[in-house]
Amino acid sequence: MKHFCSFIILLISLLAVSSHGCSQEALPLLEGPYLGQTPPGLTPKIFAPGYVATRHRDYSGSFTPDMTEFYFSRMDVDTEKWLLIRFKQIGNQWHESVVGPRVGRPLLAPDGKTMHLGNKYMVRTESGWSDIKSMGTMFDRKDWGIMRLTSSADGTIVFDDYKSDDVLRISTVRNGKRQPPVLLGPHINSGKWTAHPFIAADGSYLIWDSEKDDGYGDKDLYISFRQQDGSWGKAINLGDTINTAGNEASAYVSPDGKYLFFNHNPIKREDDVDPEGDIYWVDAQIIEKHRPKF
């Protein structure tokens, strides 16, 4: 009976996927690294068109540390329901499935054992993922609106808050104890919008999207590097190779450090029902050219 129930659950997941992506029957199987995609150079391009980038709203992707699973959130434009989607590499082929309803903006922690879901999270189990858990009163507050939460390998946490004028907060670990979150500096928390942070696994830089006076139009991606004294450096616009007059948001760097992923839509937010467009990727050397030489 247990095996029969597992089969039914798998069948339901496969049927759900067929209704939320493009017609998988018309697409070839994905084989090889990075969902079988040809890596980009220094010019961004859509990631996995027809599989990850579909007619639905596909956001905020992240890989497991071994690069064999890719997770992202999708809003079905027909049902307007949000889902957490997974592509898993089995052998040399990638297979799509639905993990469950989306909560927050899913983002894997560097160890691959924790899935951040805004002010909630799941942990890896032998059979998949645990039930959704609260991060506790330090983060799960009614007066905070956390969309995306990110962590580095040493436990540093950065998150946004749309209920408090779109700001970013940071929480570190000191002597093994979690420290209360504090606001990042005004050079980061400035402009019309500050959201969707990503902190590097080694904690050396932070990327987020913001609307600032020095931007190229709407939301742009900015980066700040950790200084030798532990402070955060100036907010640096990632430039017109990445940013456009449209929207760029939800940055993420693959665990191997090779590629920057982000959402891009060339049309401004007020003119488009899908403000974040598709997931794009680009060579992460685009980051290194901005890194200060200490």
Side-chain angles (χ1 to χ4, degrees):
M1 183 66 178
K2 180 180 179 182
H3 294 297
F4 176 74
C5 291
S6 297
F7 171 76
I8 293 298
I9 292 171
L10 176 61
L11 180 61
I12 290 172
S13 295
L14 291 173
L15 289 173
V17 168
S18 68
S19 67
H20 293 294
C22 291
S23 174
Q24 297 298 308
E25 295 180 358
L27 296 171
L29 292 173
L30 297 175
E31 295 182 332
Y34 309 106
L35 277 70
Q37 305 302 295
T38 302
L42 294 175
T43 300
K45 68 178 184 178
I46 295 177
F47 181 65
Y51 300 90
V52 174
T54 68
R55 71 184 186 90
H56 302 289
R57 300 183 188 178
D58 304 303
Y59 299 155
S60 196
S62 59
F63 280 96
T64 51
D66 62 7
M67 303 295 291
T68 63
E69 296 177 55
F70 182 75
Y71 292 84
F72 63 100
S73 57
R74 170 176 290 160
M75 193 194 83
D76 186 297
V77 296
D78 300 316
T79 66
E80 296 188 353
K81 291 182 178 180
W82 282 99
L83 298 170
L84 175 58
I85 306 294
R86 179 185 69 177
F87 275 91
K88 181 177 178 62
Q89 191 176 29
I90 303 174
N92 196 41
Q93 294 181 348
W94 292 85
H95 300 268
E96 183 180 359
S97 62
V98 176
V99 178
R102 186 201 82 167
V103 176
R105 297 250 175 166
L107 194 65
L108 282 161
D111 63 6
K113 298 177 181 178
T114 302
M115 176 77 75
H116 295 304
L117 304 167
N119 61 8
K120 305 291 193 296
Y121 71 100
M122 299 186 295
V123 294
R124 180 82 72 174
T125 68
E126 291 184 0
S127 59
W129 292 96
S130 71
D131 292 336
I132 295 171
K133 304 174 183 291
S134 170
M135 290 189 65
T137 55
M138 189 179 289
F139 297 91
D140 197 354
R141 296 174 41 164
K142 291 183 178 180
D143 59 330
W144 285 359
I146 300 176
M147 295 182 291
R148 196 186 204 203
L149 182 146
T150 176
S151 64
S152 62
D154 70 359
T156 298
I157 285 174
V158 181
F159 59 92
D160 54 15
D161 178 5
Y162 70 86
K163 290 184 179 180
S164 304
D165 296 323
D166 299 314
V167 294
L168 300 186
R169 291 186 170 88
I170 186 169
S171 169
T172 59
V173 176
R174 188 181 305 155
N175 298 323
K177 185 177 180 180
R178 169 67 56 194
Q179 301 299 301
V182 296
L183 287 170
L184 282 163
H187 59 299
I188 292 176
N189 284 317
S190 64
K192 299 177 182 178
W193 171 276
T194 305
H196 309 132
F198 171 78
I199 188 170
D202 64 1
S204 65
Y205 61 81
L206 175 69
I207 307 176
W208 70 99
D209 43 274
S210 186
E211 292 182 62
K212 300 182 187 295
D213 291 340
D214 66 346
Y216 289 87
D218 217 313
K219 290 187 292 185
D220 283 0
L221 293 181
Y222 286 80
I223 190 167
S224 172
F225 291 92
R226 180 86 76 170
Q227 306 298 291
Q228 289 182 306
D229 63 1
S231 65
W232 290 98
K234 65 181 181 179
I236 303 169
N237 189 295
L238 278 179
D240 60 4
T241 299
I242 299 292
N243 294 314
T244 69
N247 292 284
E248 286 72 41
S250 299
Y252 162 80
V253 176
S254 54
D256 57 14
K258 292 182 178 180
Y259 301 103
L260 167 66
F261 291 77
F262 62 98
N263 274 86
H264 162 70
N265 190 335
I267 304 174
K268 286 192 174 185
R269 185 167 55 242
E270 61 268 24
D271 300 326
D272 193 17
V273 295
D274 183 7
E276 295 189 60
D278 293 312
I279 296 175
Y280 279 63
W281 62 327
V282 66
D283 194 303
Q285 284 300 312
I286 204 82
I287 291 172
E288 294 309 313
K289 77 174 189 176
H290 295 287
R291 191 186 292 272
K293 305 297 188 292
F294 295 122

